[in-house]
Amino acid sequence: MHEDGNGTMMMRLHINGTRYDVQLEPRVSLLDALREYIGLSGTKKGCNQGACGACTVLVDGERINSCLALAVQYQGREITTIEGVTAADQLHPLQAAFIEYDGFQCGYCTPGHICSAIGMVEEYKQGMPSAVTENLAATDIEFSEVEIKERMSGNLCRCGAYVGIVEAIREAFEKEVAQ
Amino acid sequence: MKNFAYARAENVGSAIQSITQLQNAKFLGGGTNLVDLMRENIEQPDHLVDLTALPLAQVEELSDGGMSIGALVTNSHLAAHPLIRARYPVLSEAILHGASGQIRNMATTGGNLMQRTRCYYFYDTHARCNKRAPGTGCDALEGFNRMHAILGASEACIATHPSDMCVALAALDATVQVTGANGKRAIPLVDFHRLPEDTPQTDTNLQPDELITAVELPALPCARHSRYRKVRDRASYAFALVSVAAALEVKDGTITQARLALGGVAHKPWRAFAAEKILVGAPAGEDTFKAAAAEELKVARGYQHNAFKIELARRTMMSVLTTLAHEGGAR
């Protein structure tokens, strides 16, 4: 990793199991690196300031806003985008549930919602509490509508498909979190 | 965003060396605030020194029963830590009431302390703002100041500190551990952030060559019985209008220990020392809580759009203290 005279740097990113070597300025966000330089345009740019969650990706399994992330900081981490949540010719169970329960209208926020919910369920399975968890000491937290809504509050849907989104998340993960 | 040069610090010493030697350099942690401010051209560093490779991501028990929280521990990991949940539940609750799941995964403990205000006029580069551009004036004073300060403000600045985590840390007697070119020191959390006075451009008492390495919590038995309550314009993912962090110990109906702090009301997390003086030694009941809240808010001042916060702060303090007293502060 070194800087050249043009203020760019060679960066090595690991995305969806593939290695990408890209020459970028350090100011390039992970979101722009994905969309504009690597060609993975499934991740969406909404507000570009961390408010809407459309840019959510997974880093080492944890959900983050790629718009607030500088690509240079994420070298050596395992980045998963919507293109990598499942094999190319299959639907992730949550994607199938979004179709079944009308979890979208225009679909622009959907990749962010899917990645965010996948990360959210991992947090849930690790026993992480939320702002609406009554008993912080509890290890067994109910996978309720109230919990799902609070945990997904970093993702906005301007079409207002929230009812379907919550149903889809619940349906896709209820069995998994009960184990 | 203006371009900048990037360097990754390998250890605390090299980080401090970089920040002192490089011109117009800033430390970079999780980036959730700094990257946003740089994109808005409010911050324009020429160098960023990335701290995320430093070995400061541990939560550890101290020999005296307290806890040490490394500066790079993420908000998510800290809120979920079993010992924090058991011994300092107010801290877990405060963190979980801030930001979103995605941001809590990125944001660090040190970075949370260094957050800048969310005042609209600070963010709007066309507005006058003494914090962003010293000497230009303050458009919030006569503007839409719903989110602004009611305590400790000045004619130069009525911005508030946006952190939830820091409100709990203020109540918990936390100290900020810092290392600078001339060695280490500890700063009580309540003295870490500043009131605006006539230099609102300076948020904290951290020196330019200093790096936050950890936040320490003392052993504090009354903190096992503590709560955070946040009042905001929507149910989730919004900054506080008013928040309250409190811990209470009650023996035979008398308050023996009290810790109280307010968020969303001042340029810094506001430790309610005046209220605590009324609380300790008094009977745990409505009259005491009312007197304590009134004493703390005696010096409060509202502006056109935020005068409601004085009553809101009073009621939120009453509510949290009443809940804590009912829930078993009486053990």
Side-chain angles (χ1 to χ4, degrees), chain A residues 145-163:
Chain A
E145 182 181 329
V146 158
E147 283 283 354
I148 293 170
K149 282 182 173 171
E150 165 59 28
R151 289 165 192 263
M152 292 298 294
S153 71
N155 290 83
L156 300 183
C157 167
R158 291 297 77 168
C159 302
Y162 294 111
V163 173

Side-chain angles (χ1 to χ4, degrees), chain A residues 62-125:
Chain A
E62 293 189 357
R63 53 182 173 158
I64 67 155
N65 294 125
S66 63
C67 73
L68 294 180
L70 297 172
V72 64
Q73 259 195 313
Y74 286 82
Q75 301 180 93
R77 313 283 297 274
E78 192 53 55
I79 299 156
T80 306
T81 68
I82 189 65
E83 291 92 342
V85 296
T86 189
D89 55 348
Q90 290 171 12
L91 287 180
H92 186 281
L94 184 59
Q95 290 175 311
F98 262 65
I99 295 168
E100 173 71 20
Y101 289 90
D102 291 329
F104 55 88
Q105 287 176 42
C106 81
Y108 195 77
C109 72
T110 312
H113 263 106
I114 301 271
C115 287
S116 182
I118 291 171
M120 181 274 286
V121 163
E122 285 308 310
E123 294 163 8
Y124 191 90
K125 290 189 334 199

